[in-house]
Amino acid sequence: MKICTSILLLLVFIIPVDGSNNLLFFEMQGITSYRQQEKEIVWYSHHPHETMQKPSFGLDYLRRFRTAGQDRGYLAIQARLAFDEHEEFKFEPQLYNAYYNFKIMRSDLWIGHNKTALGLSSYLDNHALLIADNSMSSLNFDRDWGIGFNTEKQYTDYRFSLTTGSGMPLYFKNNYLFSARMGIGDLNRDNRNIGFSVAQGKILKTMGYHYMHNKMTHDLLAGGFDAGIRYLNKYLMTDIIAGKYDNNNAYAALIRAGINILPDDRLNLEAQAQLFRTGRNREENLSGGFTYRLTPYLTIRTLLTHETNESSNTLTMQLYYLRGFVF
């Protein structure tokens, strides 16, 4: 991880530029959950090993490069320090985004730590949201180390990525993940979007920066379908990934509905049903909550999750602060 980060930072100095735009965001969040089954309060949202969400503060830096008036690409780095009572020093350094994106006409080529080209999470940024997506399953990663290529046509876009299949940590043990997605339409522009994905590789089971199963690789072969539609202030999304995980049937599926109300969409209400299965392991979650923007920089979120398998409920609350500066 340190080697990749050093290479990305070095690009800031070796790429010739006539001018650059810099965006720096300061991020801070407080979070707590009450778990009904254990009758305890914890300082994380999903699992103590997951990177998000935990009480943390950090920086999100974006630098765009231009030469002779042309856009050459940008560097994105997002790092934070998160509280983790299970760590020896009680804090965990996290490197989230860490990639350079080269601009090639209407296409993008990135290298570093970025999104895989698989499913709904390939184009939605969910890192600060309490509601989970399918990257929480064993079939996808929120971020992964590698390279990727994105190109857009008038009504379609194509995404390809070749990554390590290790998620947040960087590790090499003959592991890899190839992903590809074709999307039709744009949810923000056309109010509708559908996508078809494929993935194949030998991946590692990780949760945050923690390896599971003694760093053994797992064969993955999967296909995916995702869709989203928006009508006025309402929207509906679905994401399905299904295939083989070590020759066992596996799938991850969700359906999410939401509505934005109040001026400037300051209040958002969401509900979601989600199902995971890997071999004999099966999870079902029902969740719902709201997001309210107190100010342009400060947001409060709550989420109530019912885990059907264990008949347990978890209530999570988050206070999230994000403010950007241009220089």
Side-chain angles (χ1 to χ4, degrees), residues 96 114-116 121 126-127 133 135 140-144:
Y96 210 74
N114 199 7
K115 293 174 173 293
T116 61
S121 60
N126 295 313
H127 87 275
D133 61 13
S135 64
N140 198 6
F141 299 95
D142 190 13
R143 298 290 193 280
D144 203 8

Side-chain angles (χ1 to χ4, degrees), residues 79-96:
R80 66 174 67 92
L81 192 63
F83 173 74
D84 189 339
E85 59 185 348
H86 299 89
E87 294 288 329
E88 182 180 357
F89 299 104
K90 305 303 180 184
F91 284 93
E92 178 186 67
Q94 298 177 354
L95 185 61
Y96 210 74

Side-chain angles (χ1 to χ4, degrees), residues 143-157:
R143 298 290 193 280
D144 203 8
W145 293 94
I147 60 175
F149 180 77
N150 307 330
T151 186
E152 293 185 9
K153 306 299 181 182
Q154 186 174 3
Y155 298 108
T156 58
D157 69 89

Side-chain angles (χ1 to χ4, degrees), residues 226-277:
D226 61 88
I229 186 170
R230 181 184 289 118
Y231 178 72
L232 299 177
N233 62 335
K234 306 174 186 66
Y235 59 88
L236 184 67
M237 297 180 180
T238 187
D239 189 19
I240 302 170
I241 304 172
K244 293 287 186 178
Y245 185 88
D246 282 343
N247 294 320
N248 294 313
N249 292 328
Y251 53 81
L254 67 82
I255 184 168
R256 180 187 303 175
I259 181 172
N260 296 313
I261 53 180
L262 297 184
D264 300 321
D265 296 337
R266 292 182 63 184
L267 178 61
N268 169 255
L269 306 178
E270 282 188 314
Q272 176 173 282
Q274 191 171 33
L275 176 64
F276 299 145
R277 179 181 177 182

Side-chain angles (χ1 to χ4, degrees), residues 34-40 306 311-315:
Y34 176 73
R35 302 181 67 85
Q36 180 188 40
Q37 189 176 46
E38 296 86 356
K39 292 182 172 58
E40 64 174 349
H306 175 72
S311 297
S312 65
N313 299 305
T314 301
L315 177 63

Side-chain angles (χ1 to χ4, degrees), residues 11-258:
L11 288 171
V12 176
F13 303 101
I14 65 175
I15 295 178
V17 295
D18 294 333
S20 62
N21 292 333
N22 297 272
L23 288 174
L24 181 64
F25 293 87
F26 176 73
E27 176 197 67
M28 183 169 58
Q29 67 174 317
I31 190 159
T32 184
S33 298
Y34 176 73
R35 302 181 67 85
Q36 180 188 40
Q37 189 176 46
E38 296 86 356
K39 292 182 172 58
E40 64 174 349
I41 295 176
V42 296
W43 304 104
Y44 52 85
S45 58
H46 298 292
H47 190 279
H49 290 337
E50 291 286 0
T51 54
M52 290 296 285
Q53 291 77 27
K54 298 175 181 177
S56 63
F57 63 91
L59 298 174
D60 188 357
Y61 175 65
L62 180 67
R63 179 172 182 176
R64 186 169 292 279
F65 296 91
R66 292 185 173 89
T67 59
Q70 293 184 337
D71 189 0
R72 297 299 185 185
Y74 61 89
L75 174 72
I77 297 178
Q78 185 178 22
R80 66 174 67 92
L81 192 63
F83 173 74
D84 189 339
E85 59 185 348
H86 299 89
E87 294 288 329
E88 182 180 357
F89 299 104
K90 305 303 180 184
F91 284 93
E92 178 186 67
Q94 298 177 354
L95 185 61
Y96 210 74
N97 288 333
Y99 65 92
Y100 188 88
N101 189 97
F102 296 91
K103 202 70 178 176
I104 307 172
M105 299 184 68
R106 296 185 62 182
S107 302
D108 297 273
L109 174 66
W110 62 262
I111 178 171
H113 196 228
N114 199 7
K115 293 174 173 293
T116 61
L118 179 59
L120 194 67
S121 60
S122 66
Y123 65 93
L124 290 183
D125 189 3
N126 295 313
H127 87 275
L129 304 184
L130 296 180
I131 199 162
D133 61 13
N134 284 340
S135 64
M136 301 289 290
S137 70
S138 301
L139 306 182
N140 198 6
F141 299 95
D142 190 13
R143 298 290 193 280
D144 203 8
W145 293 94
I147 60 175
F149 180 77
N150 307 330
T151 186
E152 293 185 9
K153 306 299 181 182
Q154 186 174 3
Y155 298 108
T156 58
D157 69 89
Y158 303 89
R159 299 170 184 260
F160 307 89
S161 62
L162 179 60
T163 57
T164 60
S166 57
M168 295 299 291
L170 177 61
Y171 190 77
F172 298 102
K173 193 176 180 180
N174 297 322
N175 48 293
Y176 70 93
L177 176 63
F178 172 76
S179 306
R181 179 184 181 273
M182 181 188 75
I184 304 173
D186 185 286
L187 188 60
N188 294 322
R189 182 192 64 202
D190 307 319
N191 291 325
R192 59 185 181 276
N193 173 268
I194 61 172
F196 304 90
S197 305
V198 292
Q200 189 274 328
K202 292 181 176 293
I203 65 175
L204 292 165
K205 172 62 176 174
T206 59
M207 185 178 290
Y209 289 100
H210 299 266
Y211 295 101
M212 308 296 173
H213 305 167
N214 198 28
K215 298 183 181 178
M216 295 174 56
T217 59
H218 302 271
D219 293 325
L220 173 67
L221 178 62
F225 169 79
D226 61 88
I229 186 170
R230 181 184 289 118
Y231 178 72
L232 299 177
N233 62 335
K234 306 174 186 66
Y235 59 88
L236 184 67
M237 297 180 180
T238 187
D239 189 19
I240 302 170
I241 304 172
K244 293 287 186 178
Y245 185 88
D246 282 343
N247 294 320
N248 294 313
N249 292 328
Y251 53 81
L254 67 82
I255 184 168
R256 180 187 303 175

